[in-house]
Amino acid sequence: MRPAILDPLFASVSSLPGVGPKVAEMIARVTSREDPEDCRVIDLVFHAPYSLVDRRNRPGIALAPQGTIVTIEGRVDRHQPPPRGTNQPYRVFLHDDTGELALTFFHAKGDWLMKSLPIDEQVMVSGKVDWFNGRASMIHPDFMVKASEAENMPLVEPVYPLTAGLSPKTLRKAVEGAVTRLPEMPEWADPHLTSRQSFPSVTEAFRQLHDPRDAADIDPQAPARRRLAYDEFLAGQVSLSLVRQKVRKVPGQPIRVKGELADKIVAALPFSLTPSQQAAVADITKDMAGEERMLRLLQGDVGAGKTMVALLSMAAAVEAGGQAVLMAPTEILSRQHFATISKLANAIGVTVEVLTGRTKGRERDQIIERIATGEAQIIIGTHALFQDAINYHNLMLAVVDEQHRFGVHQRLRLTAKGISPHMLVMTATPIPRTLVLAAFGDMDVSKLTEKPAGRKPIQTVTIPTERIGDIVGRLRSAIAEGKKAYWICPLVEESDVSELMSAEERHSVLAGELGAANVGLIHGRMSGPEKDAVMAAFKNGEIRLLVATTVVEVGVDVPDATIMVIEHAERFGLAQLHQLRGRVGRGSEASTCILLYKGPLSETGHARLSILRDSEDGFLIAEEDLKLRGEGELLGTRQSGTPGFRIASLEAHADLLEIARKDAANLLERDPDLTSERGEAMRTLLYLHRRDEAIRFLRAG
């Protein structure tokens, strides 16, 4: 049961004053809650300000720097309403001893402005000053008040991330309401640590977070922020340790075999395994032979041969008389793994089945039947593999591809089925060590470092969007020579909000330029069979250019595709660009990746694209990406069961992650069921951070 002292924080956000259904929906959006019903007061308490408005800055109109937020006191001279029927703004002019300022309002109501800013009244306004042709203007001041009422104006105010329609004032009021509900919580941090790090208490840290006095309080290294970051890491590490403790308690089935099946597969391969593939297979077979269940993360860059390591590991499970599953995040990827693996497995007499959400009716029932009798030895599919209807005959190994789409929760569902297979998790997103600790603190890691033999380096170039005509020209001649290319777009359909070229629009433009028969389109909103048909046509060479959204990011394998164009490359994460680039250069021909960007690029934008241009080392790229963008982004979305930290940042607080990991390990060693006084406090921390999954484990005992 959640401790009663947390109840006020888990009340619905709409229980706060001034928060109706509409505002609650916007707050859910800004705090990344997918379901407004699930948005609680605590979500606002964790919604940290990212900067602050300091109204103590009062330079006078003439001395106000461009683009800076200042507070001006002046006398209102005149109002200039726009001519009727035009889109021009409403302007109000005021002056102080140094000069004149135009306040500019779009779609404003004149009578309201007359009342708020009467002529000849001394007023105080606060906002960002812009200079045009030597004249100062302030568009939509943040704050306007008669000088006589100015004592009501807060001098320092936090600035929060917002969403369309949610005003700073409304959000600020809701946050203030949320903070008043904070109870005094028990102390779960180690007392030596709190004094050494000068940590405030949790409640005090939240109050300071939302009441910054100057820029130092917004800094990630401010004591209040460090305290909350530590708590966030600690909650994550304790839940990972509890999961691991539970998973390890379930004894593994030792797999001890001679490796005859694996040897047959290796003998049939047209290439030899790389040294790191051999080392990974050795690690895995050693782990599986032990009494404890294996939990291993296999990291390998795009094209480093993870599937082969998985197949050899699965062969060991089959040789021991068991079954193995390989679970992939998408339908396309499952079918592709099936195509690769069934060829090799059938040759040595191993039965492989594929089961996805699309497998229906009689076919589905027959496959489920073969899984239950043990006739199906290797089963490949999407998360359809873990539905309740499916019973395994003797599941010994589960391989999960692209872990970051697949959080701790799904790993638990497997265990909950009373099945305790060994677990191998594969990812092509090279994950920096700090992130491995945060997301997968419960795993041993193997890395595949070499590229398979015969892979040519990929030439990467960055080109501004203005030169898109040249690219189309190059594609025309490449297609005439029989080459294949991808063109990646960020969005599926044009929206007014975004000027990004959508996949559908780009497809029609390119089809016009290069001939409709040559150009195909694939995106996430198409049905499975539609996607398959397009992919098959691209593989067979019926279409030469595939316009796609990022659905091709993971695992699509067309070895003779040699050109990859990524439009609006500045909008993608580095790790994602690296993944996409890895879709070419898979055959023996030299390949090119063209990053089209819309200028002008920010400094970070430049830095990011040049890292990609200069390196093909996924691990290096991932480390840089982490420095430049932070971790929530690196692993894709916040909601995917990964640590999308709300206050902690791996970059700013890496030292605290190490401490939290050791602290969690020591605590659970002394108090595995969290029944001591500190253990009870730790349960409060887990509930506070919505780590209820982990607490269920304690209860299940």
Side-chain angles (χ1 to χ4, degrees):
M1 291 289 288
R2 185 188 312 124
I5 62 163
L6 295 181
D7 289 349
L9 296 177
F10 281 85
S12 164
V13 78
S14 51
S15 65
L16 291 166
V19 179
K22 191 118 199 223
V23 172
E25 203 168 301
M26 291 187 283
I27 290 175
R29 202 176 313 141
V30 83
T31 56
S32 303
R33 285 275 156 229
E34 284 180 344
D35 178 3
E37 296 289 308
D38 191 31
C39 187
R40 310 276 169 217
V41 172
I42 185 69
D43 293 314
L44 275 176
V45 173
F46 276 118
H47 191 58
Y50 65 90
S51 76
L52 81 171
V53 176
D54 188 344
R55 298 203 176 84
R56 295 170 296 195
N57 184 12
R58 302 184 180 198
I61 294 170
L63 302 172
Q66 160 67 24
T68 308
I69 291 182
V70 296
T71 300
I72 300 287
E73 185 171 343
R75 186 167 293 280
V76 179
D77 295 325
R78 65 186 195 281
H79 282 239
Q80 184 186 318
R84 273 186 180 285
T86 65
N87 274 340
Q88 289 173 17
Y90 190 115
R91 291 193 169 86
V92 179
F93 294 87
L94 53 90
H95 73 277
D96 67 4
D97 300 342
T98 67
E100 184 181 59
L101 174 70
L103 304 178
T104 306
F105 301 90
F106 291 92
H107 316 300
K109 296 193 166 58
D111 43 357
W112 174 74
L113 286 172
M114 273 294 187
K115 213 186 286 172
S116 313
L117 299 166
I119 292 173
D120 270 349
E121 180 84 49
Q122 194 72 10
V123 296
M124 208 179 248
V125 294
S126 180
K128 190 160 79 178
V129 169
D130 288 306
W131 287 88
F132 299 105
N133 304 332
R135 312 181 96 150
S137 91
M138 187 184 282
I139 298 175
H140 288 278
D142 303 328
F143 215 94
M144 305 185 303
V145 59
K146 295 173 184 165
S148 53
E149 299 161 9
E151 52 267 24
N152 308 337
M153 185 154 139
L155 291 175
V156 178
E157 207 177 343
V159 179
Y160 292 92
L162 291 168
T163 183
L166 184 61
S167 77
K169 206 167 173 183
T170 307
L171 180 63
R172 175 102 185 95
K173 190 177 164 206
V175 170
E176 281 170 355
V179 172
T180 59
R181 299 210 180 165
L182 279 164
E184 284 304 327
M185 284 180 251
E187 185 51 86
W188 45 74
D190 182 77
H192 301 301
L193 178 73
T194 48
S195 67
R196 197 168 65 241
Q197 295 275 352
S198 347
F199 281 166
S201 75
V202 187
T203 309
E204 189 44 42
F206 277 122
R207 289 192 185 121
Q208 288 176 22
L209 177 75
H210 294 289
D211 189 17
R213 296 275 117 246
D214 56 41
D217 295 339
I218 292 287
D219 189 279
Q221 300 306 341
R225 288 201 176 225
R226 279 180 65 80
R227 161 76 219 230
L228 297 171
Y230 177 74
D231 286 350
E232 200 163 11
F233 284 150
L234 186 61
Q237 292 300 311
V238 169
S239 22
L240 281 170
S241 303
L242 285 170
V243 169
R244 179 166 199 141
Q245 187 175 285
K246 181 70 184 175
V247 166
R248 288 275 151 115
K249 261 188 199 160
V250 181
Q253 269 181 296
I255 295 178
R256 299 183 184 129
V257 292
K258 292 203 177 93
E260 288 165 6
L261 283 181
D263 292 346
K264 281 187 192 165
I265 293 171
V266 173
L269 293 176
F271 50 83
S272 50
L273 297 182
T274 64
S276 54
Q277 279 178 315
Q278 291 168 352
V281 172
D283 285 342
I284 290 164
T285 41
K286 185 173 165 223
D287 282 1
M288 294 196 301
E291 295 295 330
E292 284 199 334
R293 286 174 67 187
M294 171 177 77
L295 265 181
R296 185 169 281 278
L297 178 68
L298 176 64
Q299 291 190 320
D301 218 333
V302 176
K306 292 183 298 297
T307 313
M308 197 40 66
V309 173
L311 175 57
L312 296 171
S313 313
M314 293 193 290
V318 171
E319 191 176 330
Q323 292 169 300
V325 298
L326 168 58
M327 176 164 152
T330 64
E331 180 93 36
I332 289 186
L333 200 49
S334 310
R335 305 240 165 223
Q336 197 166 300
H337 277 315
F338 176 67
T340 315
I341 285 174
S342 54
K343 264 196 287 241
L344 289 161
N346 294 342
I348 57 164
V350 171
T351 322
V352 186
E353 297 282 357
V354 61
L355 182 68
T356 65
R358 225 196 309 156
T359 321
K360 294 275 188 285
R362 213 163 135 221
E363 185 193 0
R364 183 185 175 81
D365 297 341
Q366 288 169 343
I367 294 174
I368 291 176
E369 171 69 15
R370 290 197 288 272
I371 293 173
T373 61
E375 189 187 328
Q377 293 167 301
I378 291 178
I379 304 99
I380 297 172
T382 52
H383 44 259
L385 292 176
F386 297 141
Q387 283 161 358
D388 298 335
I390 297 173
N391 293 307
Y392 290 91
H393 179 66
N394 179 14
L395 183 60
M396 285 190 170
L397 170 65
V399 183
V400 178
D401 194 12
E402 286 309 321
Q403 158 75 22
H404 62 271
R405 319 220 162 180
F406 188 83
V408 175
H409 308 302
Q410 287 93 329
R411 300 209 311 254
L412 301 184
R413 272 185 63 187
L414 245 190
T415 317
K417 290 193 73 143
I419 310 172
S420 53
H422 296 285
M423 207 146 218
L424 176 66
V425 168
M426 309 196 294
T427 174
T429 310
I431 306 175
R433 179 171 176 279
T434 38
L435 202 50
V436 170
L437 280 182
F440 318 109
D442 58 339
M443 293 200 156
D444 306 306
V445 182
S446 294
K447 278 186 184 177
L448 300 182
T449 46
E450 310 91 347
K451 278 259 193 286
R455 290 276 163 104
K456 297 258 172 65
I458 301 168
Q459 188 200 359
T460 303
V461 291
T462 48
I463 291 180
T465 333
E466 293 79 59
R467 290 180 44 206
I468 207 159
D470 303 354
I471 307 290
V472 175
R474 277 186 61 182
L475 282 174
R476 189 176 288 116
S477 42
I479 288 172
E481 291 165 24
K483 293 192 166 144
K484 287 185 190 172
Y486 293 97
W487 187 299
I488 305 294
C489 303
L491 285 178
V492 179
E493 57 202 30
E494 203 61 65
S495 66
D496 312 336
V497 188
S498 161
E499 59 197 292
L500 292 184
M501 189 65 151
S502 72
E504 287 170 351
E505 177 121 339
R506 176 55 74 210
H507 172 254
S508 65
V509 171
L510 289 171
E513 294 268 352
L514 305 170
N518 288 320
V519 188
L521 171 67
I522 189 168
H523 57 69
R525 302 207 184 145
M526 290 161 62
S527 72
E530 286 174 313
K531 284 187 209 163
D532 285 353
V534 177
M535 278 316 296
F538 184 49
K539 263 192 138 138
N540 309 337
E542 292 157 39
I543 50 182
R544 292 277 158 195
L545 174 64
L546 183 62
V547 177
T549 53
T550 53
V551 290
V552 302
E553 175 190 345
V554 180
V556 169
D557 191 18
V558 180
D560 56 347
T562 54
I563 301 167
M564 166 67 73
V565 180
I566 302 174
E567 194 167 354
H568 279 293
E570 76 282 0
R571 304 279 177 114
F572 291 92
L574 277 185
Q576 198 179 21
L577 288 170
H578 178 64
Q579 285 273 40
L580 288 165
R581 171 170 69 180
R583 298 294 115 221
V584 294
R586 302 172 80 85
S588 49
E589 269 191 70
S591 294
T592 316
C593 175
I594 299 160
L595 304 175
L596 277 177
Y597 66 87
K598 185 172 174 20
L601 283 178
S602 64
E603 236 173 278
T604 317
H606 263 297
R608 291 180 48 223
L609 293 183
S610 57
I611 288 162
L612 208 72
R613 201 179 48 217
D614 304 338
S615 171
E616 275 199 65
D617 176 345
F619 288 98
L620 175 93
I621 289 169
E623 294 286 354
E624 292 300 323
D625 208 12
L626 184 61
K627 283 191 198 126
L628 293 169
R629 302 201 310 158
E631 67 290 328
E633 296 287 310
L634 187 63
L635 289 180
T637 56
R638 289 265 305 268
Q639 281 91 347
S640 57
T642 56
F645 295 116
R646 290 180 284 191
I647 289 165
S649 135
L650 289 176
E651 205 181 331
H653 305 125
D655 61 318
L656 295 173
L657 176 59
E658 277 294 342
I659 301 170
R661 194 168 74 102
K662 289 184 182 138
D663 197 8
N666 292 339
L667 172 73
L668 287 169
E669 203 167 300
R670 290 197 305 273
D671 180 14
D673 296 323
L674 299 185
T675 47
S676 65
E677 190 180 340
R678 188 175 173 210
E680 287 292 345
M682 192 61 75
R683 288 170 179 242
T684 307
L685 168 73
L686 291 171
Y687 276 114
L688 184 69
H689 284 269
R690 295 188 175 223
R691 299 281 187 167
D692 310 22
E693 283 275 332
I695 297 172
R696 282 195 209 115
F697 269 104
L698 280 170
R699 284 211 305 277

